[in-house]
Amino acid sequence: MTSEPILTLENVSIGYDPAKAVIENLSFSLMKGEKVALMGANGAGKSTLLKALIGLIPHHSGRIQVKGLNLPSGPVQAATLKAVRAIMGYTFQEADDQLFMNTVYDDVAFGPRNQGLHEDAVKERVQQALSTVGQLHNSHRPPYKLSGGEKRAVAIATVLSMTPEILLMDEPESGLDGFSRKRLASLLKSLDHAVLFTTHDLTFAKNVADRIILLNDGQIVLEGESHEVLAQTETLEAYHIL
Ligand SMILES: Nc1ncnc2c1ncn2[C@@H]1O[C@H](COP(=O)(O)OP(=O)(O)O)[C@@H](O)[C@H]1O
Ligand SMILES: [Mg+2]
């Protein structure tokens, strides 16, 4: 991790209805290589925030900068979205939403093929991404036959094969048993990428995150190094984390 920001939000407001903000006036930075957990009760706005960062929902106001690139408020041009998505990869809460091809290989190859890479380069990307997540042996299996933990790992590989610098992940540990959560935590921790993820699991947050941001009603109510935030048990209880 360095102290150089790779993603910066300044006074960002986001909503589905222009008259009502779900995220209000939010500011924070994510450093290169830093792992940050976004926590907060159901409905706090965590998923909305991740979706706006990847351009799935436009933000109303404020500045979002991705590695010096400006994601403007309002409708975003396709070229800008493409540039932003080359830097940031996003994984859905449900791995099944990410996997739709007949084989693991084709799912992980989908992004690089879409980028117009030659099949040799695609193969290199796929093998690299699948070996990073420990799933090379499952290359030729259909995704629906994999276990929850294997699906999650492959879903991450579909994003890694696009060689992003930032990973945005919505509840990556959900639906996984304790063993698979621990494996996923060490995988995320071992990546050089900056990772911004949402979670309801305090142990998972502690194992992965350098920093925790606690959201309530679209605003930051607590922010700090993971061990500092996790020690604030009364606040965590008040905001339904504990
Ligand atoms: N597609 C949508 N259209 C309208 N409102 C939505 C939509 N998705 C989420 N919301 C609302 O935005 C708020 C934040 O939701 P969300 O970002 O999903 O919270 P979290 O991920 O923290 O549980 C909630 O009040 C929710 O009802
Ligand atoms: Mg959510």
Side-chain angles (χ1 to χ4, degrees):
M1 186 175 82
T2 68
S3 53
E4 194 185 330
I6 190 158
L7 171 68
T8 305
L9 283 78
E10 283 173 43
N11 306 114
V12 172
S13 296
I14 310 160
Y16 299 90
D17 169 356
K20 190 176 167 292
V22 169
I23 295 290
E24 234 176 328
N25 231 4
L26 197 82
S27 301
F28 73 86
S29 292
L30 179 71
M31 304 301 161
K32 267 192 167 173
E34 191 184 21
K35 318 289 186 272
V36 173
L38 270 178
M39 302 193 77
N42 291 327
K46 306 178 296 296
S47 297
T48 300
L49 176 59
L50 292 190
K51 285 181 190 154
L53 292 177
I54 199 76
L56 292 175
I57 315 170
H59 57 288
H60 295 161
S61 57
R63 270 161 64 91
I64 299 179
Q65 278 213 323
V66 186
K67 216 186 160 189
L69 209 96
N70 233 333
L71 190 61
S73 56
V76 183
Q77 288 192 336
T80 308
L81 277 186
K82 198 172 168 197
V84 164
R85 289 174 187 169
I87 303 167
M88 283 196 291
Y90 169 79
T91 62
F92 290 90
Q93 187 170 338
E94 300 296 333
D96 284 334
D97 290 338
Q98 205 112 16
L99 307 172
F100 50 88
M101 302 294 281
N102 290 325
T103 66
V104 163
Y105 186 99
D106 284 337
D107 259 325
V108 181
F110 185 84
R113 281 178 179 149
N114 230 11
Q115 285 178 324
L117 294 186
H118 269 279
E119 209 51 35
D120 286 349
V122 169
K123 189 172 175 187
E124 216 166 280
R125 292 271 193 102
V126 173
Q127 289 184 336
Q128 172 75 42
L130 282 174
S131 62
T132 301
V133 302
Q135 293 299 317
L136 205 47
H137 60 288
N138 278 327
S139 296
H140 299 294
R141 294 184 69 195
Y144 72 88
K145 286 197 178 167
L146 304 179
S147 73
E150 289 171 327
K151 275 187 196 169
R152 183 75 55 177
V154 170
I156 295 169
T158 66
V159 168
L160 291 181
S161 64
M162 306 276 284
T163 62
E165 288 176 68
I166 307 172
L167 300 179
L168 305 177
M169 314 180 90
D170 206 349
E171 299 190 25
E173 87 298 346
S174 68
L176 299 187
D177 62 28
F179 177 76
S180 310
R181 281 181 191 209
K182 268 185 245 159
R183 277 185 58 153
L184 178 62
S186 8
L187 166 66
L188 295 183
K189 193 78 194 166
S190 73
L191 296 175
D192 292 333
H193 304 68
V195 184
L196 179 63
F197 65 102
T198 73
T199 183
H200 289 297
D201 181 333
L202 286 172
T203 307
F204 187 78
K206 187 177 87 184
N207 288 343
V208 179
D210 302 299
R211 197 150 57 92
I212 294 177
I213 294 176
L214 179 54
L215 277 188
N216 183 59
D217 262 345
Q219 293 187 312
I220 296 176
V221 287
L222 186 61
E223 180 180 7
E225 288 186 27
S226 300
H227 65 95
E228 292 168 350
V229 170
L230 294 174
Q232 311 264 336
T233 48
E234 277 179 28
T235 311
L236 294 176
E237 269 185 54
Y239 292 108
H240 298 189
I241 307 297
L242 256 181

PDB file of all heavy atoms in Angstrom, residues 16 22 41-48, ligand 1:
ATOM      1  N   TYR A  16     -31.506   7.313  -6.578  1.00  0.00           N
ATOM      2  CA  TYR A  16     -32.267   6.755  -7.696  1.00  0.00           C
ATOM      3  C   TYR A  16     -33.294   7.763  -8.176  1.00  0.00           C
ATOM      4  O   TYR A  16     -33.656   7.810  -9.338  1.00  0.00           O
ATOM      5  CB  TYR A  16     -32.935   5.439  -7.267  1.00  0.00           C
ATOM      6  CG  TYR A  16     -31.911   4.405  -6.852  1.00  0.00           C
ATOM      7  CD1 TYR A  16     -31.483   4.303  -5.525  1.00  0.00           C
ATOM      8  CD2 TYR A  16     -31.331   3.567  -7.796  1.00  0.00           C
ATOM      9  CE1 TYR A  16     -30.519   3.369  -5.153  1.00  0.00           C
ATOM     10  CE2 TYR A  16     -30.368   2.643  -7.424  1.00  0.00           C
ATOM     11  CZ  TYR A  16     -29.969   2.547  -6.104  1.00  0.00           C
ATOM     12  OH  TYR A  16     -29.010   1.640  -5.742  1.00  0.00           O
ATOM     13  N   VAL A  22     -29.471   8.915  -1.685  1.00  0.00           N
ATOM     14  CA  VAL A  22     -29.231   7.716  -0.869  1.00  0.00           C
ATOM     15  C   VAL A  22     -27.854   7.853  -0.205  1.00  0.00           C
ATOM     16  O   VAL A  22     -27.668   7.524   0.954  1.00  0.00           O
ATOM     17  CB  VAL A  22     -29.293   6.439  -1.749  1.00  0.00           C
ATOM     18  CG1 VAL A  22     -28.787   5.227  -0.986  1.00  0.00           C
ATOM     19  CG2 VAL A  22     -30.723   6.194  -2.234  1.00  0.00           C
ATOM     20  N   ALA A  41     -25.594  -1.010   8.249  1.00  0.00           N
ATOM     21  CA  ALA A  41     -26.824  -1.809   8.278  1.00  0.00           C
ATOM     22  C   ALA A  41     -27.396  -1.972   6.868  1.00  0.00           C
ATOM     23  O   ALA A  41     -27.010  -1.243   5.941  1.00  0.00           O
ATOM     24  CB  ALA A  41     -27.846  -1.115   9.172  1.00  0.00           C
ATOM     25  N   ASN A  42     -28.321  -2.898   6.698  1.00  0.00           N
ATOM     26  CA  ASN A  42     -29.039  -3.041   5.427  1.00  0.00           C
ATOM     27  C   ASN A  42     -29.663  -1.700   5.065  1.00  0.00           C
ATOM     28  O   ASN A  42     -30.248  -1.047   5.927  1.00  0.00           O
ATOM     29  CB  ASN A  42     -30.160  -4.074   5.555  1.00  0.00           C
ATOM     30  CG  ASN A  42     -29.609  -5.477   5.718  1.00  0.00           C
ATOM     31  OD1 ASN A  42     -28.556  -5.798   5.175  1.00  0.00           O
ATOM     32  ND2 ASN A  42     -30.316  -6.296   6.461  1.00  0.00           N
ATOM     33  N   GLY A  43     -29.523  -1.305   3.814  1.00  0.00           N
ATOM     34  CA  GLY A  43     -30.126  -0.050   3.375  1.00  0.00           C
ATOM     35  C   GLY A  43     -29.265   1.179   3.621  1.00  0.00           C
ATOM     36  O   GLY A  43     -29.671   2.299   3.303  1.00  0.00           O
ATOM     37  N   ALA A  44     -28.060   0.988   4.164  1.00  0.00           N
ATOM     38  CA  ALA A  44     -27.189   2.140   4.462  1.00  0.00           C
ATOM     39  C   ALA A  44     -26.683   2.819   3.188  1.00  0.00           C
ATOM     40  O   ALA A  44     -26.295   3.989   3.214  1.00  0.00           O
ATOM     41  CB  ALA A  44     -26.013   1.700   5.323  1.00  0.00           C
ATOM     42  N   GLY A  45     -26.676   2.084   2.068  1.00  0.00           N
ATOM     43  CA  GLY A  45     -26.235   2.683   0.802  1.00  0.00           C
ATOM     44  C   GLY A  45     -24.939   2.097   0.251  1.00  0.00           C
ATOM     45  O   GLY A  45     -24.370   2.627  -0.703  1.00  0.00           O
ATOM     46  N   LYS A  46     -24.497   0.989   0.816  1.00  0.00           N
ATOM     47  CA  LYS A  46     -23.206   0.402   0.419  1.00  0.00           C
ATOM     48  C   LYS A  46     -23.212  -0.044  -1.050  1.00  0.00           C
ATOM     49  O   LYS A  46     -22.308   0.304  -1.813  1.00  0.00           O
ATOM     50  CB  LYS A  46     -22.867  -0.807   1.315  1.00  0.00           C
ATOM     51  CG  LYS A  46     -22.905  -0.487   2.800  1.00  0.00           C
ATOM     52  CD  LYS A  46     -22.604  -1.707   3.650  1.00  0.00           C
ATOM     53  CE  LYS A  46     -23.625  -2.827   3.544  1.00  0.00           C
ATOM     54  NZ  LYS A  46     -24.985  -2.486   4.042  1.00  0.00           N
ATOM     55  N   SER A  47     -24.235  -0.805  -1.436  1.00  0.00           N
ATOM     56  CA  SER A  47     -24.285  -1.306  -2.817  1.00  0.00           C
ATOM     57  C   SER A  47     -24.471  -0.158  -3.802  1.00  0.00           C
ATOM     58  O   SER A  47     -23.871  -0.150  -4.885  1.00  0.00           O
ATOM     59  CB  SER A  47     -25.437  -2.306  -2.986  1.00  0.00           C
ATOM     60  OG  SER A  47     -25.238  -3.434  -2.170  1.00  0.00           O
ATOM     61  N   THR A  48     -25.286   0.801  -3.410  1.00  0.00           N
ATOM     62  CA  THR A  48     -25.523   1.979  -4.264  1.00  0.00           C
ATOM     63  C   THR A  48     -24.203   2.700  -4.547  1.00  0.00           C
ATOM     64  O   THR A  48     -23.920   3.086  -5.688  1.00  0.00           O
ATOM     65  CB  THR A  48     -26.517   2.933  -3.560  1.00  0.00           C
ATOM     66  OG1 THR A  48     -27.737   2.226  -3.338  1.00  0.00           O
ATOM     67  CG2 THR A  48     -26.777   4.174  -4.388  1.00  0.00           C
TER      68      THR A  48
HETATM   69  N1  LIG B   1     -32.891   0.166  -7.775  1.00  0.00           N
HETATM   70  C1  LIG B   1     -33.310   0.933  -6.753  1.00  0.00           C
HETATM   71  N2  LIG B   1     -34.287   1.850  -6.932  1.00  0.00           N
HETATM   72  C2  LIG B   1     -34.699   2.653  -5.915  1.00  0.00           C
HETATM   73  N3  LIG B   1     -34.186   2.608  -4.658  1.00  0.00           N
HETATM   74  C3  LIG B   1     -33.217   1.717  -4.422  1.00  0.00           C
HETATM   75  C4  LIG B   1     -32.719   0.833  -5.445  1.00  0.00           C
HETATM   76  N4  LIG B   1     -31.743   0.062  -4.912  1.00  0.00           N
HETATM   77  C5  LIG B   1     -31.628   0.440  -3.626  1.00  0.00           C
HETATM   78  N5  LIG B   1     -32.503   1.441  -3.319  1.00  0.00           N
HETATM   79  C6  LIG B   1     -32.647   2.112  -2.011  1.00  0.00           C
HETATM   80  O1  LIG B   1     -31.409   2.742  -1.673  1.00  0.00           O
HETATM   81  C7  LIG B   1     -31.127   2.596  -0.298  1.00  0.00           C
HETATM   82  C8  LIG B   1     -29.761   1.962  -0.114  1.00  0.00           C
HETATM   83  O2  LIG B   1     -29.796   0.640  -0.606  1.00  0.00           O
HETATM   84  P1  LIG B   1     -28.462  -0.224  -0.832  1.00  0.00           P
HETATM   85  O3  LIG B   1     -27.458   0.616  -1.490  1.00  0.00           O
HETATM   86  O4  LIG B   1     -28.881  -1.487  -1.491  1.00  0.00           O
HETATM   87  O5  LIG B   1     -28.040  -0.501   0.690  1.00  0.00           O
HETATM   88  P2  LIG B   1     -27.032  -1.575   1.300  1.00  0.00           P
HETATM   89  O6  LIG B   1     -26.263  -2.176   0.177  1.00  0.00           O
HETATM   90  O7  LIG B   1     -26.201  -0.799   2.257  1.00  0.00           O
HETATM   91  O8  LIG B   1     -27.886  -2.579   2.007  1.00  0.00           O
HETATM   92  C9  LIG B   1     -32.275   1.792   0.298  1.00  0.00           C
HETATM   93  O9  LIG B   1     -33.184   2.675   0.886  1.00  0.00           O
HETATM   94  C10 LIG B   1     -32.871   1.104  -0.902  1.00  0.00           C
HETATM   95  O10 LIG B   1     -34.243   0.873  -0.713  1.00  0.00           O
END
